Each structure stands twice: as C-alpha cells, then as structure tokens.
C-alpha cells in the first residue's frame, strides 16, 4: 500500500515543483530572509557545557558547595617568573598593575603583593590585626629585597598562593564578579581591558607575563571557536567545489551546487538563532557539515539530470524524472544520515542534544533545498552542452568500476580472507583502546593561553580547582582541635600527591594565627596544642580582621569547611586514581557516622561528566544502529537483507576503532561521536546499492549474479563520487587547532573511506555468496517503499 502511494507521490511532487517555480523560489527567499533575521539571536557560549544532568549526585554536591561558598572558578591568575621583577621600578609597576585591576567594576577583589596583609598580634588590645605587607612603595633594591625575604621566608601562609619560593615566581589573583562569569561582559573584559593592561605592563618593563585561570581559558577558547567557523566554511566550500568541478567539469553545475549549500549554511545559522542555542564547539561544526553532506545530494540530482538529457534530450521530462526518481532515494539517505545525528537528542547532555536537534533539522533542510532549487534553476537554463556530459564517459571511472566488479567476480575468497584478517587485527587494536582524555588536551596547543596553562601547572601545580567539603554536623564543629587535626592530616596526604597543589583551608589560617601569636616567627606556623588553642582562640574572637578571612574557608555557622586544592592536567585514568587515594584518606580520617565529607569542583565534574558522556554516546550508537536496522527492515522487509546490509557498515566502525587502538587515540567524547555520525552517513551507499539491486532482480527475473553486477555498475560511480566528496569534506576539520575537532574529521573521513570499499566490494560479494539463501521472492519481498522506480537508470555511467 505504502509502495503504491509513494509511486504516485513523487511524480505529483515533480509536477507541483515545476508548475510553481517562481512561487517556490520566492518562498525559499522569504524563509531564508526570515532565518537571516534570526542571526541576531545567535550567541557564543559563555558557560561551561552542562554535561551531567541536574539530578546526578555529582551535580547535586557541586550545587550544594556553591550555595555555601559560591562559584570557585572565577579566579584569573597573572604571574611573572623573572628576577628583574625585584627592582624598585618593576616591582612598583607590578603593584600598580594590581591597583589598575582592582579599579575595574568587573573585578571583585585582588590578592597581590600590593594589598597583601600580614596577621600580627596587637598586645594592647589582645587581638589579631591585619597590617599591610607594603607600608610604602620601596625606593631602593635593598628595600625590595627585604620585602621579598619577608614574603618568601616569613609568610608560609602565602606559599603557593602568591609566590613560589623555589623559582621566585610572583602571582597576582584577580577574582571576577560572579554575576558576569557567564556573560559577554566577561569576554569583553578579558579580551580588551585585561589584554591592554598586561600588554602595557610588558612594554614598560620588558617582562614576560603569564595569564590563566578558568574564566581566561574559557574566553580564549570561545574566541578560537569563533575564529575557526569562518575557516571551516571557506575550506569546506573550496574543497567540495574543486572536487565537484573535477568530476563534472562544469562551472554552471558547480555554481548551482555552491548556491544550494550556501543557502543551507544561512539556514543553519538561522536555526541556531531561532532556537536561541549557543554556538559551542559542536554546533560550530554544523554549517561546514551541511556543505559536506549537501554536495552529495547535488551530485545525485545533477548527474541524473545530465544522464536523462543525454538519453533523450527532453528538458521537461529530464527534470520531472530527476525529482520523481531521485527524490525518494535522496530522502531515504538523508533520513538515515539525520538519524545518526538525531540519536544525540535522547542524551541528558544539553551540548549534544542541541547539536543533534540542529544538525538533523538542517540535514533535512539541505535535502529540501537541493530537491527544489536544482530542478527549478535548470528549468530556466538551456540544455547542457555536449562538453558538460563528457564526464559520463570518463575512462578512469570505468576502470575503477570494472576493477571493483572484477574483484567481486573473481576474488571473493580473497575478499573474505582479507575481511577476516582485518577484523581480527581490528579486534586486537580495540583491546588496546583506553577510555581517557583530559580537561585541556583538546585545546589548541600552539596558543599562548595553552602554553600559560602549562606554566601555571609547573609553578603552582595546576589551575583546575578541586574542593573537599567537610560537614561536622554541629555548630562551630570546624574549629575544634580534633577536627582541625583531621583536616591537617588530610591536607598532608593531598600535598603528597604530585598532581595536586598544597591545599588551602581554615587549618592554614589557624596555623597563621599561632605564628602571629608568637610574633611572626615562621617555625610556629603549625596547629596550636590544646593548651595554646584556648588563649589563641580568645585572641581570635576579639579580631574582626580574622573573621573576614574565616569567611573564605568556613560557613557562617562554623559547621562546614572547605579544603581547596588545584589539579594538574592529567588523564582520566590518573584522575580516578587520585580521587580514590583522596577518598581513602577521607574515609580514614573522617568517620562517616560523625562527618559528612565529599569531593567536588570543576576537576571532579569533568571526570564524572566524561565517563557519563562516553556511556551515553555508546547508547546513542546502539540506538542509531537499531533505528537504521528497523528502517532497513521496513524498506526491504527481509531479516537476511538487514543483516547483509549491516555487515559492510559495522565493519568500518570496527576497523576505525582498531586503528584508534593502534595509534593510541583514546575513547573520549570527541572521538566516540565519530561512530554515530559515520554510521548514519555510510549506510546511504548501502540503501542506494540494495535499492538498485532489488530493482535489477525484478528486471532480470531474480537472477542474482546479473542483478549484483548490474547494480554495482549502476551505483558504483555515484558511491565513488559521494564518498570522495565526503572524505575530503570531513578532512577539512583536520586543519582545526582543537584536538577533538581534528580527531573527529580524521576518523570520520577514514571510516567513510572504509565504508565505501566495504559497500563496493564486501556487500556485493555477500549477495553473491548467499545467492541460494536469498534467491527467492520471499526473502526480497516487494518493499514498503519503492526507492527507485522500475524504469530507473540510477546515475548510470556509460
């Protein structure tokens, strides 16, 4: 019934399109203008990707932490490692930089040598007071050296916070106003105001300044994404247009195809604006993806038009047949491609969900544009000249198709042996794959901000915050000596882990208080004894200045405290080991019946988010395979044909996974995306081949061999054309400076190349070898949908 409906549907669609050409063009123009007006709603992502769902335990714990202590990722760090800083002119200029930073409304407060406070005991008031570290600007080298000696040797509280005693590096920490953290104001401040300040300091002092921190990295990361969008679009247009022209040798055909995909790109940006989705590292790939995926549609339609013109020279009939005969096939292939992307919609990750929605909508959109624009534009043009049809008789393409046919005809045993051998090697490679990745490994390696990340890892043991929250479950439980001792023991364990920085907590403030109580002598920077604790706490209670400091480490009730450490950029497997080591220490020092202690922070959220994402992307791949299998079953109504169609499309995925294992490419979010995308695209060739094969079976009275060879000759050229375009089209992503995008481009390109060979060689070989199993009408029943009409000469290459 469905097949009968579709048989009459497409000729009717062809008549509607060709009879309403002007109206359709006006409608396309109007809709394009409407979407172009939505560009104003486009905005680049200022927030971190929300990978974990809101109800995930790690998200709940992080939200609980931020509710008490606020967001912990708002620090920008600025550092200089140069002995020349410690001369009066440069040192005073460094302190002036701190004042300039603090004057900006975007900055909440600054910690630097300029405004550093020293905790001292006021003997008369019997209280602790905060005195300025620098009472007046130093005028001589001797004064600067004295300040340096005081800081490096007598103020251990600021060790690894403001200075590194081993290298002599000095650091200023500027805390952004939390209200602007996820806004465009943050970007403008960092790119313009902060950049100008640092540049001015460097010019005046000739010192090399290093800048980093999570807001700084996120801003420059966003800028890099923005800069690459235009490069990708131009590169994709250039590569696909050159390949298209090489195949067709027609400026007219190339120009029409470029117009189609350029409108598709305009629609892609328009839909992003219409849905008010942020442009992220994934949604930024959609415009060039539309170019790469749209060109094969143009190839099928224009090639068919030229074949029809060559056959009978009737333009009106040729255009009608282009729509009625190719429309259904291209619709089916575009639906399978869109399905590969649409599976991301089921995931809880907003980042992938938005990518899946916009990509799948635009893939269907580029199909509609191709089907409408190409026949309509050609209807206003004269018939193609003989020179435009020469590509249909290229000898090298004949040689390629004949070679494929020869392999299938004469070397099927060799094909199976090679397939089994490659499969075994791939499985061995798969066992070498690791699920890993790190927070910054996909960032552009040759940028200044990436190099500065490495600098701060070397000098201050990292910039990724990791928090440990200790809930004593009783008021003022934090400052009890037993609790402080437990926190100090935990801090010692953390400090011994090479990838973590020395933790900062209320323990350090109590140690600093004891040092101040004993007139600032460094050896007394330690926790007070039980006897000392009583009178040190009495002094502390009279001190308003210490109360201000305490707010950073303890909540208002004195019940909950935080330990803040910073983590180097490490792989996920090492991050898991660190988490396990810290958790063991927590369990050892804090009995669960008396304390509620948990780890959180951006570093831990990344670990949990990556594992969660990999698990869900594997689920989306399984769903894509399942959906497309059901689709194939619906089309061909044969279980055996579904299995035969899946084998040549799953094999390339296994090969790619094996190659990843041998090359040491880990499974991570950016690489696991490859499989769903590639599977959705590669199955298109299978649909074209099997549809033509079934048609040939009817024409050749169910003679398997003749049908297979005829289908291979008919569809081989089209499969080669489209696969080459897709291979080089996805290869443009290799020029990206982002490791994840680069891996996506290279792996999808390789997978599609493997898929082309698999569909041209393995698929027809399987059909011939299983001749007896499928050589009856019950196996290949009449399909639900006639993808190709009976008289179809699909993209024939004579």
């Amino acid at each position: 019934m469905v097949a009968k409906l579709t048989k009459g549907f497409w000729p009717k669609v062809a008549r509607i399109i060709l009879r309403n050409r002007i109206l359709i063009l006006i409608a396309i123009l109007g809709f394009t203008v409407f979407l172009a007006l939505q560009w104003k709603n486009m905005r680049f992502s200022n927030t971190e990707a929300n990978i974990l769902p809101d109800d995930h335990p790690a998200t709940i714990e992080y939200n609980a932490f931020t509710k008490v202590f606020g967001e912990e990722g708002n620090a920008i760090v600025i550092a200089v490692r140069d002995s020349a800083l410690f001369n009066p002119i440069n040192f005073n200029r460094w302190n002036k930089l701190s004042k300039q930073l603090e004057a900006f409304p975007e900055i909440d407060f600054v910690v630097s040598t300029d405004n550093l406070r020293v905790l001292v005991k006021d003997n008369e008031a019997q209280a602790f007071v905060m005195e300025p570290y620098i009472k007046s600007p130093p005028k001589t080298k001797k004064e600067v050296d004295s300040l340096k000696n005081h800081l490096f040797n007598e103020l251990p509280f600021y060790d690894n916070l403001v200075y590194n005693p081993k290298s002599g590096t000095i650091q200023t920490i500027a805390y952004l106003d939390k209200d602007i953290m996820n806004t465009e104001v943050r970007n403008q401040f960092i790119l313009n105001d902060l950049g100008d300040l640092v540049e001015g300091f460097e010019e005046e002092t000739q010192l090399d300044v290093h800048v980093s921190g999570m807001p700084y990295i996120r801003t420059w990361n966003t800028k890099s994404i923005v800069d690459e969008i235009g490069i990708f679009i131009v590169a994709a247009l250039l590569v696909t247009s050159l390949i298209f022209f090489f195949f067709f040798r027609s400026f007219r055909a190339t120009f029409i195809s470029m117009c189609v995909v350029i409108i598709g790109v305009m629609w892609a940006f328009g839909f992003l604006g219409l849905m008010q989705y942020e442009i992220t590292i994934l949604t930024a790939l959609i415009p060039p993806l539309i170019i790469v995926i749209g060109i094969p549609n143009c190839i099928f339609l224009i090639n068919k038009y030229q074949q029809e013109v060559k056959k009978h020279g009737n333009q009106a009939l040729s255009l009608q047949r282009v729509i009625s005969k190719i429309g259904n096939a291209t619709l089916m292939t575009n639906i399978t491609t869109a399905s590969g992307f649409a599976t991301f919609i089921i995931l809880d990750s907003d980042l992938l969900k938005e990518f899946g929605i916009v990509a799948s909508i635009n893939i269907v959109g580029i199909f509609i544009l191709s089907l409408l624009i190409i026949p309509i534009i050609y209807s206003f043009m004269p018939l193609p000249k003989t020179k435009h049809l020469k590509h249909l008789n290229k000898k090298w393409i004949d040689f390629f198709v004949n070679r494929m046919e020869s392999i299938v005809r004469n070397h099927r045993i060799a094909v199976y042996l090679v397939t089994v051998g490659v499969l075994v090697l791939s499985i061995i490679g798969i066992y070498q794959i690791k699920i890993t990745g790190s927070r910054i490994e996909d960032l552009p390696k040759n940028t200044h901000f990436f190099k500065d990340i490495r600098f701060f890892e070397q000098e201050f043991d990292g910039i990724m915050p990791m928090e440990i929250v200790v809930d004593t479950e009783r008021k003022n439980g934090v400052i009890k000596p037993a609790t402080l001792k437990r926190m100090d023991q935990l801090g010692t364990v953390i400090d011994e882990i090479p990838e973590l920085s020395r933790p900062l907590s209320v323990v350090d403030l109590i140690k600093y208080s004891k040092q101040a109580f004993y007139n600032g002598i460094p050896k007394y920077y330690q926790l007070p004894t039980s006897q000392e604790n009583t009178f040190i706490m009495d002094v502390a209670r009279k001190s308003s200045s210490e109360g201000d400091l305490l707010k950073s480490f303890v909540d208002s009730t004195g019940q909950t405290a935080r330990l803040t450490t910073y983590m180097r950029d490490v792989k996920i497997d090492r991050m898991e080991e660190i988490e396990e080591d810290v958790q063991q220490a927590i369990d050892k020092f804090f009995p669960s019946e008396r304390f509620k202690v948990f780890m959180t922070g951006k570093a831990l959220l990344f670990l949990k988010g990556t594992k969660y994402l990999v698990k869900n992307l594997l689920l989306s791949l399984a769903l894509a395979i399942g959906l497309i299998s059901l689709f194939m079953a619906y089309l061909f109504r044969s279980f055996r044909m579904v299995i035969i169609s899946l084998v040549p499309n799953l094999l390339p995925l296994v090969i790619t996974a094996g190659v990843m294992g041998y090359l040491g490419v880990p499974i991570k979010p950016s690489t696991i995306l490859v499989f769903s995308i590639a599977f959705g695209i590669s199955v298109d060739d299978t649909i074209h081949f099997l549809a033509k094969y079934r048609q040939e079976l009817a024409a050749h009275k169910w003679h398997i061999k003749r049908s297979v060879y005829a289908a291979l000759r008919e569809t081989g050229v089209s499969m080669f054309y489209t696969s080459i375009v897709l291979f080089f089209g996805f290869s443009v992503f290799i020029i990206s400076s982002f490791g994840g995008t680069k891996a996506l481009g290279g792996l999808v390109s390789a997978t599609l190349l493997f898929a082309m060979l698999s569909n041209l060689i393995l698929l027809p070989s399987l059909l011939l070898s299983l001749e007896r199993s499928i050589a009856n009408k019950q196996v290949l029943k009449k399909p639900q949908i006639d993808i190709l009409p009976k008289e179809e000469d699909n993209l024939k290459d004579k």
Side-chain angles (χ1 to χ4, degrees), residues 219-510:
T219 295
W220 277 99
N221 192 43
T222 300
K223 187 178 186 304
S224 299
I225 293 171
V226 174
D227 293 343
E228 285 197 349
I229 292 178
I231 295 172
F232 285 150
I233 291 173
V234 171
L237 283 172
L238 185 63
V239 168
T240 53
S241 61
L242 286 174
I243 296 171
F244 191 96
F245 182 77
F246 176 76
F247 286 151
F248 284 88
R249 302 297 171 92
S250 167
F251 286 108
R252 183 166 67 181
T254 305
F255 177 74
I256 292 171
S257 299
M258 290 303 106
C259 287
V260 170
V261 294
I262 287 171
I263 294 172
V265 168
M266 295 173 71
W267 281 24
F269 283 123
F271 279 116
L272 281 169
L274 183 65
M275 297 178 178
Q276 297 192 352
Y277 288 161
E278 292 182 337
I279 296 180
T280 63
I281 193 167
L282 283 182
T283 53
L285 301 179
I286 292 174
L289 272 175
I290 293 306
I291 296 171
V292 173
I293 293 171
I295 287 295
N297 289 340
C298 300
I299 288 175
F300 277 109
L301 292 164
I302 293 175
N303 207 20
K304 177 60 185 172
Y305 173 65
Q306 293 183 350
Q307 287 171 2
E308 289 292 334
V309 168
K310 184 179 179 182
K311 187 189 299 183
H312 50 72
N314 186 322
Q315 186 180 47
L317 182 61
S318 298
L319 292 169
Q320 188 174 15
R321 286 187 174 180
V322 165
I323 300 168
S324 62
K325 297 178 181 180
I326 296 298
N328 207 28
T330 50
L331 174 62
M332 296 301 109
T333 54
N334 277 271
I335 285 176
T336 55
T337 301
S339 298
F341 288 91
T343 53
F344 300 137
I345 298 171
I346 66 159
L347 305 182
D348 283 326
S349 166
D350 291 340
L351 181 73
L352 285 166
K353 187 177 291 185
E354 291 175 5
F355 175 63
I357 291 171
V358 179
S360 51
I361 288 173
N362 280 285
I363 288 167
V364 175
I366 196 68
F367 158 72
I368 294 170
L369 284 172
S370 304
L371 190 68
L372 295 176
I373 292 176
I374 290 175
I376 290 175
I377 295 298
Y378 269 109
S379 71
F380 290 107
M381 292 183 169
L383 285 169
K385 297 178 182 178
T386 306
K387 66 178 182 179
H388 295 143
L389 307 178
K390 284 183 180 179
H391 72 94
L392 298 172
N393 298 309
K394 285 179 184 172
K395 291 182 180 179
W396 67 272
I397 291 194
D398 283 339
F399 172 79
F400 173 78
V401 175
N402 290 336
R403 183 62 184 158
M404 295 296 104
E405 184 180 336
S406 173
I407 292 172
V408 173
R409 190 186 294 270
N410 304 314
H411 306 288
R412 285 202 297 280
I413 300 299
V415 168
Y416 297 139
L417 289 175
V418 170
T419 300
V420 171
V422 169
L423 184 62
V424 170
L425 289 173
S426 299
I427 291 172
I428 294 171
I430 288 172
Y431 276 99
Q432 299 178 40
I433 291 183
K434 293 181 179 179
I435 298 178
T436 184
S438 74
R439 181 69 180 269
I440 68 167
E441 73 172 355
D442 284 344
L443 295 179
K445 302 289 189 297
N446 57 349
T447 56
H448 66 90
F449 69 90
F450 185 86
K451 293 171 184 173
D452 281 347
I453 291 171
R454 294 301 189 206
F455 171 85
F456 281 97
E457 285 186 340
Q458 181 183 347
E459 293 295 321
F460 297 99
D461 297 322
I463 55 168
M464 278 209 305
M466 175 174 157
E467 303 280 352
I468 298 164
V469 178
V470 179
D471 183 356
T472 62
E473 299 187 331
R474 53 193 176 276
K475 190 175 181 180
N476 294 321
V478 169
I479 57 173
K480 292 188 178 297
T483 305
L484 293 172
K485 185 178 180 181
R486 293 176 191 275
M487 291 178 67
D488 191 35
Q489 290 172 320
L490 177 60
T492 302
V493 172
I494 293 171
D495 197 20
E496 290 172 353
I497 297 173
E499 294 86 356
L500 296 179
S501 68
R502 179 179 73 87
L504 193 63
S505 70
V506 65
V507 171
D508 297 276
L509 184 58
I510 299 298

Side-chain angles (χ1 to χ4, degrees), residues 24 66 85-86 113 343 348 351 415 433 517 525 534 577 648 661 758 776:
I24 289 172
T66 55
L85 178 67
F86 297 101
T113 53
T343 53
D348 283 326
L351 181 73
V415 168
I433 291 183
F517 186 83
Y525 186 77
T534 304
E577 292 172 3
S758 185
N776 64 78

Side-chain angles (χ1 to χ4, degrees), residues 163 199 202 225 243 297 409 440 470 604 615 670 773 794:
Y163 69 91
E199 189 178 327
E202 288 180 323
I225 293 171
I243 296 171
N297 289 340
R409 190 186 294 270
I440 68 167
V470 179
L604 265 296
K615 177 184 173 183
S670 57
S773 300
N794 183 31

Side-chain angles (χ1 to χ4, degrees), residues 66-355:
T66 55
K67 188 176 180 181
V68 176
F69 296 106
E71 187 168 344
E72 32 72 90
N74 64 326
I76 298 174
V77 287
I78 306 167
V80 171
R81 182 177 59 190
D82 195 322
S83 59
L85 178 67
F86 297 101
N87 69 54
I89 296 174
N90 290 343
F91 191 72
N92 288 326
R93 182 65 182 86
W94 176 254
N95 292 327
K96 180 184 175 183
L97 176 65
S98 171
K99 286 186 175 72
Q100 290 173 320
L101 273 172
E102 206 158 18
F104 281 99
E106 293 87 353
I107 296 295
D108 198 1
F109 66 96
V110 174
V111 176
S112 73
T113 53
D114 174 64
N115 61 7
L116 220 55
R117 295 293 183 265
V118 179
L119 191 67
V120 296
K121 186 176 74 170
D122 184 339
N123 290 316
E124 290 184 11
Q126 282 297 296
F128 291 121
V129 294
M130 300 295 288
E131 292 185 351
Y133 163 66
I134 300 175
K135 294 182 172 61
S136 62
K139 296 178 181 178
T140 65
K141 181 73 166 63
K142 186 178 179 180
E143 290 178 1
V144 175
D145 288 342
S146 175
L147 286 169
K148 178 183 176 183
N149 181 65
H150 184 203
L151 179 64
F152 281 39
N153 298 319
E154 298 175 12
L155 297 176
F157 179 77
Y158 295 110
D159 184 358
N160 212 54
L161 180 67
V162 173
Y163 69 91
N164 180 338
K166 295 178 182 177
S167 64
T169 302
I170 292 290
Q171 175 176 262
T172 290
I173 308 171
Y175 292 90
L176 279 178
D177 181 351
K178 292 173 182 176
D179 292 336
I180 70 159
M181 272 295 293
N182 297 321
T183 68
E184 180 60 24
V185 177
R186 181 201 74 198
N187 294 341
Q188 294 301 321
F189 170 74
I190 289 174
L191 294 175
N192 300 321
D193 299 329
L194 179 63
D196 292 342
L197 277 183
V198 171
E199 189 178 327
F201 176 84
E202 288 180 323
E203 286 178 2
E204 288 184 39
T205 62
Q206 299 302 305
L207 296 175
D208 187 18
V209 177
H210 302 273
V211 186
S212 195
M214 294 312 298
Y216 187 82
I217 294 169
R218 284 162 56 187
T219 295
W220 277 99
N221 192 43
T222 300
K223 187 178 186 304
S224 299
I225 293 171
V226 174
D227 293 343
E228 285 197 349
I229 292 178
I231 295 172
F232 285 150
I233 291 173
V234 171
L237 283 172
L238 185 63
V239 168
T240 53
S241 61
L242 286 174
I243 296 171
F244 191 96
F245 182 77
F246 176 76
F247 286 151
F248 284 88
R249 302 297 171 92
S250 167
F251 286 108
R252 183 166 67 181
T254 305
F255 177 74
I256 292 171
S257 299
M258 290 303 106
C259 287
V260 170
V261 294
I262 287 171
I263 294 172
V265 168
M266 295 173 71
W267 281 24
F269 283 123
F271 279 116
L272 281 169
L274 183 65
M275 297 178 178
Q276 297 192 352
Y277 288 161
E278 292 182 337
I279 296 180
T280 63
I281 193 167
L282 283 182
T283 53
L285 301 179
I286 292 174
L289 272 175
I290 293 306
I291 296 171
V292 173
I293 293 171
I295 287 295
N297 289 340
C298 300
I299 288 175
F300 277 109
L301 292 164
I302 293 175
N303 207 20
K304 177 60 185 172
Y305 173 65
Q306 293 183 350
Q307 287 171 2
E308 289 292 334
V309 168
K310 184 179 179 182
K311 187 189 299 183
H312 50 72
N314 186 322
Q315 186 180 47
L317 182 61
S318 298
L319 292 169
Q320 188 174 15
R321 286 187 174 180
V322 165
I323 300 168
S324 62
K325 297 178 181 180
I326 296 298
N328 207 28
T330 50
L331 174 62
M332 296 301 109
T333 54
N334 277 271
I335 285 176
T336 55
T337 301
S339 298
F341 288 91
T343 53
F344 300 137
I345 298 171
I346 66 159
L347 305 182
D348 283 326
S349 166
D350 291 340
L351 181 73
L352 285 166
K353 187 177 291 185
E354 291 175 5
F355 175 63

